[in-house]
Structures are given as structure tokens and as C-alpha cells.
Amino acid sequence: MGNIVKGGEFLIKEIPAKEIFSLEELNEEQKMLRDSAKEFIDREVVPQKERFEKKDYAFTEEIMRKLGEMGMLGIAVPEAYGGLEMGFVTTMLACDYLSGVTGSLATAYGAHTGIGTLPIVLYGTEAQKQKYLPDLAAGTKFGAYCLTEPDAGSDANSGKTRAKLSEDGKHYIINGQKMWISNAGFADTFTLFAKIDDDKNITGFVINRSELENPESLTFGEEEHKLGIRASSTRQVFFNDMKVPVENLLGERNNGFKIALNALNVGRIKLAAACLDAQRRILNHSIQYSNERKQFGVSISIFGAIRKKIAEMATGVYVSEAGSYRAAKDIQDKIDELVAGGMDHQAAELKGVEEFAVECSILKVFVSDLAQHTADEGIQVYGGMGFSEDTPMEAAWRDSRISRIYEGTNEINRLLAVGMLIKRAMKGELDLLSPAMAIGKELMGIPSFEVPDYSAFMSEEKAIIANLKKVFLMVSGAALQKYMMDIEKQQHLLLNASEILNQIYMAESAVLRAEKHSAPESVEAAMAQLNLYKAVEKIIVAAKEGIISFAEGDEQRMMLSGLRRFTKYTNHPNVVALTEKIAAHYINKGTY
């Protein structure tokens, strides 16, 4: 299993390439599942894609039922309850390759297998699991997750939906409303959250609509008409004196907020996975179109402006894959370690995902931002045709937009990632203080003028990443010293710190993937190097903005000097040559 890393530990520890996992290492069972998912999507979904854009909700449900028949809805469900229990990496893989063609199906699948099913897997009683999970795994019933309210979005605990114990003590009577509920139109199993009486925190409940004593106590608004994900059923849900048996309380009273947070942690990394094949397909369409489209007597793929876009889109896919599967395997390793130590699988999965909550937020932000940028560039490659509904780019762009809002907005997730790191440091779970203090001493010293030996493959890239970690610790350490517990009020500064954090994790993931699986002159190495160069430039901007916002005089000058020192290349990469190398490879190959 190797050395088990802690969540967030990548900031203060050098991670050897041999200890990260990537797509090149899939086992035969995983490859078969990937190929089966891809074949199903290409056969059943791609030719019918227009039906999703025309809001054919029944077709979405039909495809979901077929996925249930294939076993694709039960991959994360334990075998004891009719699932396949295939491990965290495999659940990521299924989400990846089933989600790329249309956001409508991606949303239905993600809502059902993630937040619709996992709270019951992770928090349900034995009786609840026996009752609900077999149908959810088989796709004979579908799941929905009712958390958001008109006045309770990111602040989920502020919901107004209320539950009151009936006089005979056998039911909770629930009143309130939820909104933006995915799968609401065809779901039967609802996980919902309400405050019991005047409790401080929300509590979770689970119900089957078909078993309600009074069917009229659960009603629905009309389908929402949305920018994208048009055939994803999205409705308001209303509870009108809805009677829920007391045994349907999920987890413990007052513990709903924790259930919601842990379900969202899983949802965040799965959302990153759901954006991966979408990026691949947009890239492949762009390559194909640029090779076929003729202007001035030649294919537009010959022009540098188009080649630059293709190279950067391909690099984005490679980096997104690297970070997503690295984190997925870290989570799986942690789960396996806890189970081997005697913890039951349910508790181990909770702890495993919670351990890497920082990485889950990083991935959610980075990959969803990049997915929309990739779709935007895809439209640009197509030119005027990209704006037409007759080409795949228009729908891809609309569908990608929701990913930056789902599972907590990207702004909330940026703040969360840094906030969780700080809390771990305060609790002594992660020693960020010692390395931050060491950097302060390093800045006071005279820098070495020796030219390092960077003859080993990826050695300079790894040295630069180590220095970028110093940038994060320098800026965040100084900011913490100044603001202490008020740091959470400095959102501009936290957003800058988050940008640095995100770029470090993703750049390191790509560099380690290339080092482990590629040769020095490979296109994979070129992509890792190109991404690192771009990451350094983004980190310089974010760090400089942050430093100037809170430091003055000698402190500011010293930190800006440190920033220049820590972002300096010995051998500056030829970015144009790297870009051309990547573009030539994929344009000639015709696909990613």
C-alpha cells in the first residue's frame, strides 16, 4: 500500500512519484468497466444527444434504468445490499466515463449515485440499508437529495424546514420547501434535512415517496428551465404535514449538517471526475474540426493560434486526470488502512473522504473552472459554427457552467480549502508552522548562488514545486500572524492563497504522473512542464496581490524578494516549443 499520506500533507512533504496513482495503472477489471461505460455512452447516448437538449426527461430516466441494469448505479454500494462494492477509484472511473457527453445524464447519475445514495450507505441503520439500497443499486428506484432552500444555499444549516414529533411519538411531521432538487421528477427515495423543533442543527431523514401515508403531503413545482443540463429533472419540493416514521431518521439528531458536509466532500471529487471525459470529448471534437475545416486553402489546424488552443486544452485534460486519480487513490488507500486496522467500512469511508476534504475542494474548483474554459475554447476553435446548436460545443458550454456552482460554489470551496488547512494546523494535525518559520529564516539569509544539478528527469520541475510550496507557506504564515482568528474575514486574501494552493497540487500531480509513466522527451513531459510554467505565472500574480494587500515596508520588500527567488527557473522552458510539440502530437494523432 506504500506510505499513507495525510490530507493536505502535500504542502509540507516531498511526495515520490512512485507513491502517486494515475490512469496508466488501471487494473484489468477497471479497464473493462471503463470500456463498457464508454461503449454504452457511444451507443446509447451520443446518437440521441439532441433529446437531452429538447428536455426529454423521460429519456434521461430511461438511460438511468439501463445503467441500473448494467450495475453502474451500484458500484459504490456494498455487496450485502445488492451493489458491486468496487472501491473508490473505480467509482471515480465510472463517473468519469459516464458523464462526458451530456450534463443532463451526468447530473442525474451523480445525484443518484452520490448524494442520493451515499448518505444511506454511510449513515443508514442496517434496516435502512436493507430497505433502500438494493432498489437504488438496481435502478428500480432513484434517489434525490433535498438540502437547498430559497434562503439556505451555501449556509445549509440556516434552512427553515421543520420537523415536529407527533403526539403518539411514532412520526415526525415535516413542513417546508426545498429547491434545485436534481432527479425530483422521477425519484422515489428522498434524503432530506430539517430542524427538529428549535434544534441548532439540521437532522437527516430518508423516505420513499411511494410509501407515504398521504401522497399529497409531498408535492413538486414545475420543472425548472435552465441554461444547461436541460433534461436533468430539477424541481422544488414541498413538504405539507408530511409524516415520516421515527425510524426513518438518518444518523443522529442534530447531525444532519455533518452528513451534508461529508456527502458534499464525496460529491466534490466526483464532480471533478464528471468533468474529465467532457474535456476529452470537447478536445477531440476540436482536433477533428480543426483538421477538417479549411481556410485560405489549408486546414486551420496548421495555424499557430489554433495549435496553441489545442495544446492548452490537451494539457488541461492531462493535469485534471493527474490530480483527480491521485486523490482518489489516496482516499482509497486511507479507507483500506482503516479497514485493515479494524474499523468497519462505513466509518472508514467517512474518515477516508474527510481526511482529504482539502484535496476534494481543490479538485472541484480547478477541474470545473478548466472544464468551462475548455468548452469556451472549443467554441472558439469552431468559430461561428461553435455558436450553433448544430455543433456539440454550444451545449457543452452551457452544461459546463453549472459545475462551478454544484457541490458548493467555487468561491466557497476556495475559502473552504484554505480554511480547513488552517484548522488542521491549529489542531496540531498538520505542522504548517515549523516550515513557515523556517522559510522566514531562509528569507533573512543570503541565497545560494550555486547552479543546481538538474540532470535527472523532472528534477528542476520538482525543485520549483518545492519552492512554490514555500510561497504558500510564506504568504499564509505572514497573513495568519497578522490577522490570527480574524483571517476568515479576509476573503480576498484567502482567495489568493487558494489559487496558490490549487496550482501547487495540480502542477505537482502532473509532474509526478509524467515522471512515473513517461520519458524525458515525451508529450506527457511537455504537458507537465507547460502546465507548471503557467502555474508559476498564476502563483506570482496571486501571491503578489496578497502580499501587497497586508504587508508594508521592509516586510513587504522581503516577501516580494522571496517571491522572486521562489519562482525563479534555472533553465527557463521554451513555452512556444512545448506548445508546438503538444499540438503537433494530438493534431497528427487526431484524438487525445
Side-chain angles (χ1 to χ4, degrees):
M1 198 179 290
N3 296 317
I4 307 295
V5 297
K6 293 180 182 178
E9 197 174 31
F10 70 91
L11 267 176
I12 53 174
K13 182 178 179 182
E14 183 179 349
I15 310 295
K18 66 181 181 180
E19 291 185 10
I20 65 113
F21 176 88
S22 58
L23 275 172
E24 288 85 350
E25 298 167 74
L26 295 177
N27 61 36
E28 288 307 311
E29 183 182 56
Q30 289 167 333
K31 288 176 183 175
M32 285 175 63
L33 182 137
R34 176 199 63 194
D35 294 345
S36 177
K38 189 174 183 305
E39 190 274 333
F40 174 84
I41 293 297
D42 287 339
R43 183 187 74 245
E44 299 282 345
V45 178
V46 173
Q48 304 285 343
K49 189 170 184 294
E50 190 177 336
R51 294 177 68 177
F52 292 102
E53 300 315 310
K54 291 183 176 177
K55 305 181 182 179
D56 190 341
Y57 304 107
F59 185 59
T60 302
E61 183 179 356
E62 178 188 326
I63 294 295
M64 286 288 288
R65 292 200 185 282
K66 289 181 178 179
L67 288 173
E69 291 166 6
M70 291 173 66
M72 290 291 186
L73 301 183
I75 291 170
V77 175
E79 288 182 6
Y81 312 109
L84 299 178
E85 200 173 337
M86 294 183 78
F88 201 84
V89 170
T90 308
T91 67
M92 285 281 286
L93 194 64
C95 188
D96 177 351
Y97 282 90
L98 290 171
S99 301
V101 170
T102 168
S104 297
L105 180 61
T107 298
Y109 180 83
H112 173 83
T113 58
I115 54 180
T117 300
L118 279 179
I120 304 170
V121 172
L122 299 176
Y123 291 94
T125 63
E126 182 61 27
Q128 287 170 348
K129 291 177 189 175
Q130 293 282 1
K131 179 176 182 178
Y132 297 108
L133 292 179
D135 284 333
L136 292 171
T140 52
K141 284 185 171 67
F142 296 111
Y145 177 86
C146 303
L147 178 64
T148 302
E149 298 185 15
D151 295 318
S154 298
D155 184 11
N157 216 28
S158 65
K160 293 185 173 68
T161 300
R162 289 291 183 268
K164 187 174 181 62
L165 192 63
S166 62
E167 288 185 9
D168 62 9
K170 294 181 178 179
H171 294 85
Y172 284 101
I173 311 299
I174 297 180
N175 285 281
Q177 75 179 101
K178 302 290 181 177
M179 67 186 304
W180 305 122
I181 307 307
S182 296
N183 293 354
F186 59 84
D188 191 66
T189 304
F190 289 79
T191 300
L192 62 118
F193 297 87
K195 284 187 180 177
I196 300 174
D197 299 328
D198 295 319
D199 284 356
K200 181 181 178 182
N201 296 313
I202 53 178
T203 296
F205 300 87
V206 58
I207 58 154
N208 272 344
R209 179 185 357 187
S210 57
E211 297 174 356
L212 286 174
E213 207 172 280
N214 175 16
E216 298 303 314
S217 64
L218 179 62
T219 56
F220 301 87
E222 295 297 317
E223 290 286 357
E224 300 285 353
H225 298 289
K226 309 178 293 290
L227 171 70
I229 57 170
R230 289 180 169 175
S232 159
S233 175
T234 311
R235 295 185 173 192
Q236 290 195 61
V237 179
F238 300 92
F239 312 112
N240 311 293
D241 288 335
M242 184 177 75
K243 293 174 71 173
V244 177
V246 291
E247 59 267 24
N248 287 36
L249 191 147
L250 186 64
E252 297 174 2
R253 180 169 174 169
N254 258 313
N255 203 37
F257 191 58
K258 188 165 187 180
I259 295 174
L261 285 180
N262 282 323
L264 289 173
N265 283 335
V266 178
R268 283 163 185 151
I269 189 169
K270 293 287 180 68
L271 189 137
C275 291
L276 295 177
D277 201 46
Q279 287 187 68
R280 293 187 201 102
R281 287 176 182 269
I282 291 165
L283 171 60
N284 288 342
H285 283 304
S286 299
I287 293 168
Q288 182 181 356
Y289 184 82
S290 68
N291 278 333
E292 293 173 355
R293 172 70 168 165
K294 299 284 196 298
Q295 288 290 277
F296 308 105
V298 294
S299 297
I300 63 170
S301 62
I302 203 169
F303 299 122
I306 298 295
R307 296 171 81 83
K308 183 175 187 289
K309 291 184 188 301
I310 298 294
E312 290 178 351
M313 291 160 79
T315 298
V317 178
Y318 182 80
V319 175
S320 296
E321 291 173 342
S324 297
Y325 284 96
R326 170 191 181 180
K329 186 60 161 60
D330 283 341
I331 290 170
Q332 184 170 312
D333 286 347
K334 186 65 180 178
I335 293 168
D336 292 345
E337 177 195 47
L338 293 169
V339 170
M343 189 179 287
D344 72 81
H345 195 277
Q346 175 179 317
E349 187 155 339
L350 275 171
K351 286 287 184 187
V353 175
E354 193 175 359
E355 176 67 33
F356 291 93
V358 171
E359 286 81 352
C360 290
S361 282
I362 288 171
L363 285 161
K364 193 277 179 185
V365 171
F366 187 96
V367 182
S368 65
D369 274 350
L370 194 54
Q372 182 155 43
H373 178 68
T374 302
D376 200 65
E377 290 288 74
I379 289 178
Q380 207 67 15
V381 170
Y382 272 66
M385 285 303 296
F387 209 66
S388 169
E389 289 186 358
D390 293 334
T391 63
M393 294 302 164
E394 177 264 351
W397 185 89
R398 285 188 290 98
D399 281 353
S400 66
R401 186 60 185 87
I402 189 61
S403 298
R404 291 163 57 198
I405 299 171
Y406 270 162
E407 316 295 357
T409 66
N410 282 10
E411 290 71 27
I412 287 289
N413 273 284
R414 285 178 182 274
L415 299 173
L416 264 177
V418 179
M420 286 187 287
L421 270 178
I422 292 170
K423 283 178 184 173
R424 288 193 177 178
M426 298 283 194
K427 289 179 182 176
E429 296 172 0
L430 205 59
D431 182 15
L432 300 181
L433 185 60
S434 299
M437 290 174 67
I439 292 160
K441 290 179 183 176
E442 184 178 345
L443 290 175
M444 299 295 288
I446 299 170
S448 170
F449 294 101
E450 285 186 28
V451 178
D453 177 10
Y454 288 136
S455 55
F457 180 40
M458 286 294 171
S459 56
E460 181 167 10
E461 287 76 11
K462 289 195 291 184
I464 288 168
I465 288 167
N467 279 336
L468 295 178
K469 294 176 184 181
K470 292 179 182 179
V471 173
F472 178 86
L473 292 167
M474 174 182 74
V475 175
S476 59
L480 262 176
Q481 277 188 313
K482 174 164 185 175
Y483 294 110
M484 301 301 289
M485 299 309 293
D486 285 336
I487 189 72
E488 63 182 26
K489 297 176 184 176
Q490 307 300 318
Q491 290 198 354
H492 287 284
L493 186 53
L494 291 174
L495 290 173
N496 286 323
S498 172
E499 180 64 16
I500 300 167
L501 183 70
N502 293 0
Q503 294 297 333
I504 289 169
Y505 184 76
M506 300 305 290
E508 181 179 64
S509 299
V511 164
L512 294 177
R513 179 185 184 185
E515 182 189 3
K516 187 174 185 180
H517 296 290
S518 308
E521 297 304 315
S522 66
V523 71
E524 291 81 8
M527 289 190 288
Q529 290 160 345
L530 177 63
N531 177 72
L532 178 59
Y533 173 84
K534 303 275 187 184
V536 169
E537 295 303 306
K538 289 173 184 173
I539 286 170
I540 290 170
V541 171
K544 189 174 181 181
E545 187 176 300
I547 291 166
I548 292 170
S549 74
F550 72 86
E552 297 176 341
D554 288 343
E555 182 189 24
Q556 185 188 100
R557 283 189 287 275
M558 183 177 71
M559 291 176 71
L560 290 174
S561 173
L563 177 61
R564 289 190 292 273
R565 186 196 305 186
F566 295 145
T567 54
K568 181 181 177 183
Y569 275 90
T570 299
N571 303 296
H572 221 285
N574 184 334
V575 175
V576 173
L578 290 174
T579 302
E580 177 53 32
K581 181 175 190 172
I582 299 162
H585 175 85
Y586 288 111
I587 288 168
N588 292 338
K589 185 181 176 185
T591 186
Y592 177 73

